[in-house]
């Protein structure tokens, strides 16, 4: 007659291993990597370097192959069991807020309107222009120096002028610089309006200081290749300061605007501006929402 196993026997915890087998440590992969590096480095230096790389490549391949075939080289490592305790310093569990009609989260739930980005970009552009003109007045003795320098990015005539011309007013250069500054500030302001809601903490620090610092560093590294003449006339400390001024002012102006719900939370027909009875919830007085 068969016996019924007890519950303790069915759900018995498996015995923990006291030791496991691990691949033996080997230096052959490093030898193989060094051989490849010397093999290609010799293409730029000498044949002897490539020859040494070829020898190391063959030796590393053979040595690594023998670590696996015909038998794997392994060693027994003792297992040290530790009790794992999960602790947290949070006093409560933070919940992700959801829109009423959603079953999953769209992040961010709220964002800033397009007008907020335009206002922030224009305000940041004014702050940047004031700081740039201050630099031109203090360092070069003319507020027209940074304006003519900005126009030189796309205006070929500005490259051939002397330093005296950079300190004087030119209507064509002023028009080009003004157009570039307004368009660029507006586009970056729109980007700030879209990015700041994604930064849950310290948005001004991330969007107003870190992003301008990264942008200034990128231009510093590539402007010498793209435009060597322009790179010689830029004071990078003042340039980074003006970028930071733009980011801080634009971020403050954007954050002071009233946020709106993210458009992804709405049905497509509403985002497209189509009247859709049955989808638009009725108001309290019975009328459909626009």
């Amino acid at each position: 007659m068969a016996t019924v196993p007890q519950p303790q026997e069915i759900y018995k915890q498996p015995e923990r291993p006291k030791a496991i087998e691990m691949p033996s440590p080997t230096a052959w992969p490093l030898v193989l990597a060094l051989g490849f590096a010397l093999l290609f480095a010799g293409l730029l230096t000498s044949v002897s370097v490539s020859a040494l790389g070829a020898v190391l490549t063959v030796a590393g391949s053979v040595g690594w192959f023998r670590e696996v075939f015909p038998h794997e080289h392994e060693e027994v490592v003792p297992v040290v069991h530790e009790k794992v305790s999960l602790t947290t310093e949070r006093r409560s569990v933070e919940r992700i807020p959801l829109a009423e009609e959603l079953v999953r989260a769209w992040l961010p739930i709220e964002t800033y309107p397009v007008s907020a980005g335009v206002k922030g970009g224009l305000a940041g552009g004014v702050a940047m222009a004031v700081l740039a003109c201050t630099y031109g007045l203090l360092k070069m003795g003319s507020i027209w120096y940074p304006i003519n320098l900005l126009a030189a990015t796309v205006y070929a005539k500005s490259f051939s002028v002397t330093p005296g011309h950079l300190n004087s007013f030119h209507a064509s250069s002023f028009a080009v610089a003004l157009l570039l500054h307004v368009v660029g500030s507006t586009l970056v302001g729109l980007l700030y309006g879209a990015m700041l809601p994604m930064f849950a903490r310290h948005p001004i620090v991330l969007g107003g200081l870190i992003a301008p610092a990264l942008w200034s560093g990128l231009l510093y590294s590539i402007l010498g290749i793209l435009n060597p003449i322009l790179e010689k006339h830029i004071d990078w400390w003042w340039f980074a300061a003006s970028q930071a001024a733009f980011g801080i002012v634009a971020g403050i102006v954007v954050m002071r605007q009233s946020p709106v719900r993210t458009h992804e939370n709405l049905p497509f027909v509403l985002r497209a501006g189509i009247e859709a009875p049955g989808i638009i919830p009725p108001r309290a007085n019975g009328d459909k929402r626009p």
Side-chain angles (χ1 to χ4, degrees), residues 14 37 70 80 88 200 203 207 215 262-263 277:
V80 179
T88 178
W215 171 248
T262 306
H263 294 298

Side-chain angles (χ1 to χ4, degrees), residues 207-230:
L209 295 178
I210 297 179
L214 296 176
W215 171 248
S216 301
L218 177 63
L219 285 181
Y220 178 79
S221 61
I222 66 175
L223 190 59
I225 301 175
L226 300 178
N227 197 330
I229 299 177
L230 184 62

Side-chain angles (χ1 to χ4, degrees), residues 143-167:
I143 63 173
W144 305 113
Y145 182 86
I147 297 175
N148 294 325
L149 201 60
L150 176 61
T153 57
V154 296
Y155 194 39
K157 183 179 178 181
S158 300
F159 289 113
S160 59
V161 298
T162 61
H165 286 87
L166 287 175
N167 293 333

